[in-house]
mmCIF file of all heavy atoms in Angstrom:
data_model
loop_
_atom_site.group_PDB
_atom_site.id
_atom_site.type_symbol
_atom_site.label_atom_id
_atom_site.label_comp_id
_atom_site.label_asym_id
_atom_site.label_seq_id
_atom_site.Cartn_x
_atom_site.Cartn_y
_atom_site.Cartn_z
ATOM 1 N N GLU A 29 15.346 -1.186 -14.774
ATOM 2 C CA GLU A 29 15.124 -2.188 -15.737
ATOM 3 C C GLU A 29 13.689 -2.793 -15.598
ATOM 4 O O GLU A 29 13.370 -3.588 -16.480
ATOM 5 C CB GLU A 29 16.136 -3.226 -15.689
ATOM 6 C CG GLU A 29 17.645 -2.827 -15.891
ATOM 7 C CD GLU A 29 17.758 -2.044 -17.156
ATOM 8 O OE1 GLU A 29 17.308 -2.465 -18.280
ATOM 9 O OE2 GLU A 29 18.427 -1.012 -17.196
ATOM 10 N N GLU A 30 12.983 -2.395 -14.673
ATOM 11 C CA GLU A 30 11.622 -3.000 -14.435
ATOM 12 C C GLU A 30 10.490 -1.996 -14.774
ATOM 13 O O GLU A 30 10.725 -0.776 -14.856
ATOM 14 C CB GLU A 30 11.503 -3.396 -12.983
ATOM 15 C CG GLU A 30 12.428 -4.451 -12.480
ATOM 16 C CD GLU A 30 12.108 -4.842 -10.978
ATOM 17 O OE1 GLU A 30 10.909 -5.316 -10.715
ATOM 18 O OE2 GLU A 30 12.896 -4.644 -10.212
ATOM 19 N N ASP A 31 9.401 -2.495 -15.025
ATOM 20 C CA ASP A 31 8.153 -1.710 -15.198
ATOM 21 C C ASP A 31 7.569 -1.356 -13.818
ATOM 22 O O ASP A 31 7.542 -2.179 -12.981
ATOM 23 C CB ASP A 31 7.088 -2.420 -15.980
ATOM 24 C CG ASP A 31 7.590 -2.567 -17.496
ATOM 25 O OD1 ASP A 31 8.263 -1.772 -17.964
ATOM 26 O OD2 ASP A 31 7.142 -3.608 -18.070
ATOM 27 N N ALA A 32 7.095 -0.178 -13.622
ATOM 28 C CA ALA A 32 6.462 0.243 -12.479
ATOM 29 C C ALA A 32 5.377 1.200 -12.738
ATOM 30 O O ALA A 32 5.157 1.588 -13.925
ATOM 31 C CB ALA A 32 7.499 0.983 -11.518
ATOM 32 N N TYR A 33 4.569 1.487 -11.741
ATOM 33 C CA TYR A 33 3.309 2.279 -11.931
ATOM 34 C C TYR A 33 3.172 3.150 -10.809
ATOM 35 O O TYR A 33 3.604 2.929 -9.646
ATOM 36 C CB TYR A 33 2.053 1.360 -11.928
ATOM 37 C CG TYR A 33 2.130 0.250 -13.012
ATOM 38 C CD1 TYR A 33 2.640 -0.999 -12.580
ATOM 39 C CD2 TYR A 33 1.746 0.478 -14.309
ATOM 40 C CE1 TYR A 33 2.736 -1.998 -13.545
ATOM 41 C CE2 TYR A 33 1.943 -0.583 -15.195
ATOM 42 C CZ TYR A 33 2.339 -1.808 -14.844
ATOM 43 O OH TYR A 33 2.491 -2.824 -15.789
ATOM 44 N N LEU A 34 2.586 4.418 -11.067
ATOM 45 C CA LEU A 34 2.222 5.242 -9.951
ATOM 46 C C LEU A 34 0.964 4.706 -9.216
ATOM 47 O O LEU A 34 0.091 4.182 -9.795
ATOM 48 C CB LEU A 34 1.851 6.699 -10.502
ATOM 49 C CG LEU A 34 2.944 7.459 -11.146
ATOM 50 C CD1 LEU A 34 2.375 8.802 -11.576
ATOM 51 C CD2 LEU A 34 4.137 7.626 -10.234
ATOM 52 N N SER A 35 1.022 4.743 -7.898
ATOM 53 C CA SER A 35 0.008 4.053 -7.135
ATOM 54 C C SER A 35 -1.428 4.527 -7.313
ATOM 55 O O SER A 35 -1.645 5.812 -7.400
ATOM 56 C CB SER A 35 0.353 4.180 -5.583
ATOM 57 O OG SER A 35 -0.634 3.593 -4.870
ATOM 58 N N GLN A 36 -2.314 3.654 -7.536
ATOM 59 C CA GLN A 36 -3.782 3.972 -7.606
ATOM 60 C C GLN A 36 -4.442 3.807 -6.190
ATOM 61 O O GLN A 36 -5.614 4.177 -6.003
ATOM 62 C CB GLN A 36 -4.461 3.252 -8.710
ATOM 63 C CG GLN A 36 -4.427 1.825 -8.430
ATOM 64 C CD GLN A 36 -5.053 0.921 -9.509
ATOM 65 O OE1 GLN A 36 -5.094 -0.321 -9.453
ATOM 66 N NE2 GLN A 36 -5.588 1.522 -10.573
ATOM 67 N N SER A 37 -3.753 3.182 -5.284
ATOM 68 C CA SER A 37 -4.230 2.928 -3.949
ATOM 69 C C SER A 37 -3.077 2.244 -3.151
ATOM 70 O O SER A 37 -2.296 1.510 -3.633
ATOM 71 C CB SER A 37 -5.439 1.896 -4.051
ATOM 72 O OG SER A 37 -5.712 1.470 -2.748
ATOM 73 N N GLY A 38 -3.145 2.634 -1.935
ATOM 74 C CA GLY A 38 -2.109 1.902 -1.039
ATOM 75 C C GLY A 38 -2.690 0.780 -0.299
ATOM 76 O O GLY A 38 -2.037 0.146 0.629
ATOM 77 N N GLN A 39 -3.913 0.299 -0.646
ATOM 78 C CA GLN A 39 -4.593 -0.728 0.084
ATOM 79 C C GLN A 39 -3.847 -1.931 0.345
ATOM 80 O O GLN A 39 -3.832 -2.478 1.542
ATOM 81 C CB GLN A 39 -5.934 -1.049 -0.572
ATOM 82 C CG GLN A 39 -6.814 -2.012 0.232
ATOM 83 C CD GLN A 39 -7.684 -2.783 -0.675
ATOM 84 O OE1 GLN A 39 -8.404 -2.232 -1.466
ATOM 85 N NE2 GLN A 39 -7.748 -4.101 -0.527
ATOM 86 N N LEU A 40 -3.235 -2.604 -0.726
ATOM 87 C CA LEU A 40 -2.668 -3.930 -0.457
ATOM 88 C C LEU A 40 -1.517 -3.823 0.511
ATOM 89 O O LEU A 40 -1.397 -4.714 1.302
ATOM 90 C CB LEU A 40 -2.110 -4.404 -1.896
ATOM 91 C CG LEU A 40 -3.102 -4.485 -3.008
ATOM 92 C CD1 LEU A 40 -2.485 -5.327 -4.123
ATOM 93 C CD2 LEU A 40 -4.410 -5.114 -2.535
ATOM 94 N N TYR A 41 -0.799 -2.712 0.468
ATOM 95 C CA TYR A 41 0.316 -2.412 1.401
ATOM 96 C C TYR A 41 -0.189 -2.344 2.863
ATOM 97 O O TYR A 41 0.314 -2.620 3.863
ATOM 98 C CB TYR A 41 1.189 -1.342 0.970
ATOM 99 C CG TYR A 41 1.942 -1.655 -0.334
ATOM 100 C CD1 TYR A 41 1.349 -1.179 -1.558
ATOM 101 C CD2 TYR A 41 3.099 -2.370 -0.379
ATOM 102 C CE1 TYR A 41 2.017 -1.466 -2.686
ATOM 103 C CE2 TYR A 41 3.711 -2.723 -1.605
ATOM 104 C CZ TYR A 41 3.161 -2.281 -2.731
ATOM 105 O OH TYR A 41 3.765 -2.439 -3.961
ATOM 106 N N MET A 42 -1.420 -1.581 2.867
ATOM 107 C CA MET A 42 -2.035 -1.318 4.215
ATOM 108 C C MET A 42 -2.530 -2.608 4.828
ATOM 109 O O MET A 42 -2.538 -2.735 6.048
ATOM 110 C CB MET A 42 -3.159 -0.342 4.061
ATOM 111 C CG MET A 42 -2.659 1.032 3.625
ATOM 112 S SD MET A 42 -1.269 1.697 4.510
ATOM 113 C CE MET A 42 -2.020 1.963 6.032
ATOM 114 N N GLU A 43 -2.919 -3.547 3.951
ATOM 115 C CA GLU A 43 -3.300 -4.904 4.544
ATOM 116 C C GLU A 43 -2.065 -5.590 5.142
ATOM 117 O O GLU A 43 -2.235 -6.141 6.271
ATOM 118 C CB GLU A 43 -3.870 -5.778 3.439
ATOM 119 C CG GLU A 43 -5.227 -5.352 2.937
ATOM 120 C CD GLU A 43 -5.920 -6.353 1.943
ATOM 121 O OE1 GLU A 43 -5.890 -7.545 2.288
ATOM 122 O OE2 GLU A 43 -6.201 -5.930 0.912
ATOM 123 N N ALA A 44 -0.966 -5.492 4.524
ATOM 124 C CA ALA A 44 0.306 -6.047 5.141
ATOM 125 C C ALA A 44 0.548 -5.310 6.443
ATOM 126 O O ALA A 44 0.938 -5.932 7.516
ATOM 127 C CB ALA A 44 1.446 -5.920 4.191
ATOM 128 N N ALA A 45 0.372 -4.009 6.522
ATOM 129 C CA ALA A 45 0.655 -3.258 7.720
ATOM 130 C C ALA A 45 -0.302 -3.586 8.838
ATOM 131 O O ALA A 45 0.090 -3.658 10.032
ATOM 132 C CB ALA A 45 0.675 -1.724 7.380
ATOM 133 N N ALA A 46 -1.556 -3.851 8.447
ATOM 134 C CA ALA A 46 -2.546 -4.221 9.457
ATOM 135 C C ALA A 46 -2.212 -5.549 10.153
ATOM 136 O O ALA A 46 -2.508 -5.784 11.346
ATOM 137 C CB ALA A 46 -3.946 -4.234 8.849
ATOM 138 N N MET A 47 -1.629 -6.432 9.384
ATOM 139 C CA MET A 47 -1.241 -7.808 9.888
ATOM 140 C C MET A 47 -0.078 -7.615 10.879
ATOM 141 O O MET A 47 0.245 -8.459 11.707
ATOM 142 C CB MET A 47 -0.835 -8.722 8.811
ATOM 143 C CG MET A 47 -1.988 -9.121 7.827
ATOM 144 S SD MET A 47 -3.441 -9.756 8.615
ATOM 145 C CE MET A 47 -4.555 -8.287 8.300
ATOM 146 N N ALA A 48 0.672 -6.497 10.866
ATOM 147 C CA ALA A 48 1.713 -6.231 11.760
ATOM 148 C C ALA A 48 1.293 -5.263 12.974
ATOM 149 O O ALA A 48 1.756 -5.461 14.137
ATOM 150 C CB ALA A 48 2.834 -5.546 11.076
ATOM 151 N N LEU A 49 0.416 -4.333 12.730
ATOM 152 C CA LEU A 49 0.090 -3.339 13.591
ATOM 153 C C LEU A 49 -1.320 -3.214 14.012
ATOM 154 O O LEU A 49 -1.771 -2.388 14.846
ATOM 155 C CB LEU A 49 0.508 -1.920 13.031
ATOM 156 C CG LEU A 49 2.083 -1.864 12.830
ATOM 157 C CD1 LEU A 49 2.383 -0.615 11.838
ATOM 158 C CD2 LEU A 49 2.827 -1.591 14.125
ATOM 159 N N GLY A 50 -2.212 -4.120 13.526
ATOM 160 C CA GLY A 50 -3.533 -4.175 13.912
ATOM 161 C C GLY A 50 -4.558 -3.231 13.200
ATOM 162 O O GLY A 50 -5.289 -3.649 12.357
ATOM 163 N N LYS A 51 -4.364 -1.968 13.528
ATOM 164 C CA LYS A 51 -5.276 -0.836 12.942
ATOM 165 C C LYS A 51 -4.279 0.159 12.423
ATOM 166 O O LYS A 51 -3.500 0.853 13.175
ATOM 167 C CB LYS A 51 -6.284 -0.331 13.914
ATOM 168 C CG LYS A 51 -7.350 -1.238 14.391
ATOM 169 C CD LYS A 51 -8.510 -0.613 15.058
ATOM 170 C CE LYS A 51 -8.134 0.117 16.305
ATOM 171 N NZ LYS A 51 -9.272 0.655 17.082
ATOM 172 N N VAL A 52 -4.417 0.445 11.106
ATOM 173 C CA VAL A 52 -3.519 1.368 10.500
ATOM 174 C C VAL A 52 -4.259 2.286 9.532
ATOM 175 O O VAL A 52 -5.477 1.971 9.167
ATOM 176 C CB VAL A 52 -2.372 0.587 9.653
ATOM 177 C CG1 VAL A 52 -1.477 -0.120 10.526
ATOM 178 C CG2 VAL A 52 -3.085 -0.306 8.553
ATOM 179 N N PHE A 53 -3.651 3.463 9.161
ATOM 180 C CA PHE A 53 -4.219 4.276 8.112
ATOM 181 C C PHE A 53 -3.086 4.937 7.323
ATOM 182 O O PHE A 53 -2.074 5.192 7.909
ATOM 183 C CB PHE A 53 -5.286 5.271 8.702
ATOM 184 C CG PHE A 53 -4.555 6.535 9.375
ATOM 185 C CD1 PHE A 53 -4.542 7.724 8.729
ATOM 186 C CD2 PHE A 53 -4.034 6.383 10.690
ATOM 187 C CE1 PHE A 53 -3.914 8.874 9.342
ATOM 188 C CE2 PHE A 53 -3.544 7.480 11.311
ATOM 189 C CZ PHE A 53 -3.383 8.671 10.657
ATOM 190 N N SER A 54 -3.453 5.237 6.071
ATOM 191 C CA SER A 54 -2.457 6.019 5.316
ATOM 192 C C SER A 54 -3.129 7.213 4.844
ATOM 193 O O SER A 54 -4.410 7.340 4.771
ATOM 194 C CB SER A 54 -1.963 5.172 4.097
ATOM 195 O OG SER A 54 -3.081 4.868 3.189
ATOM 196 N N PHE A 55 -2.377 8.250 4.376
ATOM 197 C CA PHE A 55 -2.879 9.449 3.768
ATOM 198 C C PHE A 55 -1.783 9.808 2.840
ATOM 199 O O PHE A 55 -0.698 10.239 3.137
ATOM 200 C CB PHE A 55 -3.094 10.529 4.821
ATOM 201 C CG PHE A 55 -3.438 11.861 4.230
ATOM 202 C CD1 PHE A 55 -4.630 11.961 3.404
ATOM 203 C CD2 PHE A 55 -2.714 12.969 4.454
ATOM 204 C CE1 PHE A 55 -4.889 13.187 2.929
ATOM 205 C CE2 PHE A 55 -3.078 14.275 3.970
ATOM 206 C CZ PHE A 55 -4.151 14.320 3.112
ATOM 207 N N GLY A 56 -2.191 9.819 1.490
ATOM 208 C CA GLY A 56 -1.214 10.244 0.561
ATOM 209 C C GLY A 56 -1.827 10.316 -0.910
ATOM 210 O O GLY A 56 -2.983 10.008 -1.110
#
């Protein structure tokens, strides 16, 4: 029932991950 979008970048989520794990990277 919601609007969604195909990701144009994982950056915002990677910022959250960096606050948990320090140094992170994604590939997708």
Side-chain angles (χ1 to χ4, degrees):
E29 300 304 317
E30 297 182 62
D31 291 328
Y33 307 94
L34 295 182
S35 175
Q36 62 184 181
S37 169
Q39 180 206 311
L40 304 192
Y41 296 97
M42 298 310 293
E43 289 188 53
M47 297 306 109
L49 296 162
K51 295 195 295 185
V52 296
F53 77 103
S54 66
F55 172 60

